[in-house]
Amino acid sequence: MRDYDEVTAFLGEWGPFQKMIFFLLSASIFPNGFCGLSIVFVGDTPEHRCSIPGNLNLSQAWMNRTIPLVPGTQVQYSQCSRYRLDVIRNLSEVFPDPDLLNVSGIEEEPCLDGWDYSQDQYTSTIVSEWDLVCNNDWKGPFSMSVFFLGVLVGTFIAGQLSDRFGRKSVWFGTMAVQTGFTMIQVFSPNWEIFCLLNFFVGIGQISNYVAAFVIGSEVLGKSIRVVYSTLGLCISYAIGYMFLPFIAYFIRSWRMLLFILSLPGLLYIPLWWFVPESPRWLLHKGRIQEAEAIIQHIARKNGITPPPVLFNDLELEEMKAKSVISHTIIHLVKTSNIRAITIINFLVWMILSIEYYGLSLSTPNLNGNAYLNCFFSAAIEVPAYTAAWLLLQRLGRRFSLSGALFLGGGVLFFIQLVPSDLSALTTTLVMVGKFVITSAFSIVYVYTAELYPTVVRNMGVGVSTMASRTGSIISPYFVYLGAYNELLPFILMGGLTILSAVLVLFLPETINNSLLETIDQMQDIKCFKFRTPCSNQDRSVQNEMGEKSDGH
């Protein structure tokens, strides 16, 4: 049986229809860039100190003495404690000038009257509105982890729904979930409701990215597929990411910021009438007439006259026979080959996500302006995706991904050797690490889609993305290890990244091969052999030779 690329070769690779799909699907990813990382500003912690009631009638001099200094410093004031106010009030009545005595020995108490927050950078964040500081400081990172937990659940569910009910429905539905719940989140009355809604925002946030990626991979020709995955989707994500600090700079209230960031999602409603269902998926579901109608529609848009018959009777019978076979997540581990690929992909995606989000979420906290640091962290992704495209064209998938991971792990190991007084060098290395890991993330999307066959492709990419979200949930806690040893996070992330680089070397090369259609075709892939798998054409030749030998 001919593969899909052979049947549809008459459509061409880069006609008007392919250009429209390329740009519409890429544009749909734009909100993902700022929705996923908006917590950087929405959940940032402003400078704060214990609130002092105004009814104490303390002089300004005594008010300045109510907050103790952090032990070992001369200029940093405590953010979570104050001197006992009853003692301060009694002393102020006896000693009008606080310079006449040493107040450092006075007993301290927690911030019983709340906190005063600096508004130099923000008018409000979820931290300042709900006092997520001191004993409640764990709630800020937890809000982020809940979001990534939603992404984890979303990718797990959306992948299976997409393979069962269609790419287009899941793509559009998850975009609606992301936009709708972000709008509702603006009206959160408390932190608990905010977290619950953040979970649902996460369900839609990356699932629509995966669905758009799969639709484009299956509709566009293989010569455009890599460009679409790197320069199309990924750069759209990076542009959205770059808009985040720009918008956040002018909107300093977290509620208004989320509302503005949710509005672009409404612009994508008309896409339902322009983006078709994947013909590949329809064929594997036995919906031959629908697939043929879409292929003929593409031909008309490209100004091409389609052949009178797309599929012969034998091919139609084969497709109908295959359509009765349903596939579940179990099929991702059913055979030894696909099981090895799934396990390696799971580990690689998880480690990549730990490093990517560890670096992305920490860049606003580097020395310098938080908005500029965030912008540079986003802008570095544009040349990173361009580099990924060039690597995929010249070096193939396996060595491009493995090389990027080796370099990224090496950069992390080198950061620990930089003296603390060379902060500019540290920032530069962080940006280099971000560049390399971003390139690797772009490559792994393309590679994973080519490793899995059409019948479980969206599920395979979804499970891999689910592994990525597991890593993103873990990533904040890797950063927390720095409280015990500031070098430990870099050592662990560097070691894991180099481990993933080694694992990638066991995967097969997929460059210049047609997309696999069925799981049976994966039987020819030997995951632990350092060789390029044969193309579909080679497989057909081998089958013919096998039949002839059987005849003898």
Side-chain angles (χ1 to χ4, degrees), residues 268-298:
Y268 299 108
I269 294 176
L271 295 188
W272 178 265
W273 291 276
F274 290 94
V275 178
E277 182 56 88
S278 166
R280 285 180 186 267
W281 178 82
L282 290 171
L283 290 173
H284 282 283
K285 286 297 180 181
R287 295 158 63 174
I288 312 299
Q289 293 180 340
E290 294 177 63
E292 287 184 333
I294 292 175
I295 294 172
Q296 290 171 355
H297 172 73
I298 297 172

Side-chain angles (χ1 to χ4, degrees), residues 112-178:
L112 302 177
D113 298 293
W115 290 262
D116 292 328
Y117 296 91
S118 170
Q119 293 192 340
D120 292 342
Q121 185 168 346
Y122 307 104
T123 57
S124 70
T125 68
I126 61 170
V127 173
S128 63
E129 182 159 338
W130 295 314
D131 291 333
L132 309 184
V133 293
C134 300
N135 291 336
N136 289 324
D137 60 354
W138 59 274
K139 292 183 177 180
F142 184 78
S143 303
M144 191 184 308
S145 293
V146 168
F147 170 82
F148 287 126
L149 181 62
V151 175
L152 174 67
V153 173
T155 50
F156 178 75
I157 297 174
Q160 298 189 65
L161 292 178
S162 180
D163 284 326
R164 177 165 296 185
F165 300 108
R167 295 11 178 163
K168 179 180 176 179
S169 299
V170 172
W171 167 65
F172 206 82
T174 49
M175 279 200 299
V177 168
Q178 175 180 279

Side-chain angles (χ1 to χ4, degrees), residues 10 88 95 104 142 157 161 181 231 270 281 291 305 309 339 341 453 470-471 477 488 515 523 526-527 549:
F10 69 92
I88 290 292
F95 301 97
S104 61
F142 184 78
I157 297 174
L161 292 178
F181 279 98
L231 302 186
W281 178 82
T305 302
V309 178
R339 183 165 54 247
I341 289 174
T470 303
Y477 302 100
L488 191 57
L515 289 179
Q523 301 298 327
K526 306 298 182 181
C527 295
S549 63

Side-chain angles (χ1 to χ4, degrees), residues 250-278:
F250 292 101
I251 301 175
R252 305 299 180 97
S253 168
W254 74 268
R255 292 183 188 271
M256 183 56 68
L257 177 61
L258 281 185
F259 179 73
I260 296 298
L261 294 179
S262 68
L263 291 179
L266 300 176
L267 301 176
Y268 299 108
I269 294 176
L271 295 188
W272 178 265
W273 291 276
F274 290 94
V275 178
E277 182 56 88
S278 166

Side-chain angles (χ1 to χ4, degrees), residues 61-90:
W62 271 105
M63 285 286 287
N64 294 337
R65 293 298 185 91
T66 56
I67 307 298
L69 290 167
V70 174
T73 68
Q74 297 297 320
V75 294
Q76 185 177 354
Y77 287 91
S78 173
Q79 297 180 325
C80 297
S81 64
R82 67 187 184 187
Y83 291 123
R84 283 184 52 182
L85 295 187
D86 55 341
V87 176
I88 290 292
R89 182 174 52 193
N90 293 335

